[in-house]
Amino acid sequence: MLDKIALVLVIIGALNWGSIGIFQLDLVAWLFGGQGEIISRIVYTLVALAGIWVISLLFKDTAHAE
């Protein structure tokens, strides 16, 4: 379950970076009142932690023993 939550947060972060790159619009800051607002900073921090977490998925063995 934690893996799925982390993936969702990473997708949110990727979409936010895409909107910054394409439209020069930071969606998180826009939705929550600016980059300095505490809720925006929490979202940025959660996305960063999720990004660190999903690094572990690269090394996770998903093969099932038969």
Side-chain angles (χ1 to χ4, degrees):
M1 184 66 178
L2 189 57
D3 291 347
K4 289 183 181 183
I5 292 169
L7 285 171
V8 168
L9 287 170
V10 169
I11 291 167
I12 290 169
L15 292 173
N16 191 53
W17 275 109
S19 72
I20 292 169
I22 296 169
F23 305 113
Q24 296 182 347
L25 172 64
D26 184 342
L27 289 173
V28 173
W30 180 73
L31 287 172
F32 299 113
Q35 289 181 340
E37 294 298 318
I38 190 70
I39 189 72
S40 294
R41 294 176 60 203
I42 290 170
V43 171
Y44 295 138
T45 302
L46 288 174
V47 169
L49 291 173
I52 293 167
W53 180 265
V54 298
I55 291 171
S56 70
L57 298 180
L58 292 172
F59 304 103
K60 192 173 187 178
D61 184 18
T62 57
H64 298 289
E66 293 183 30

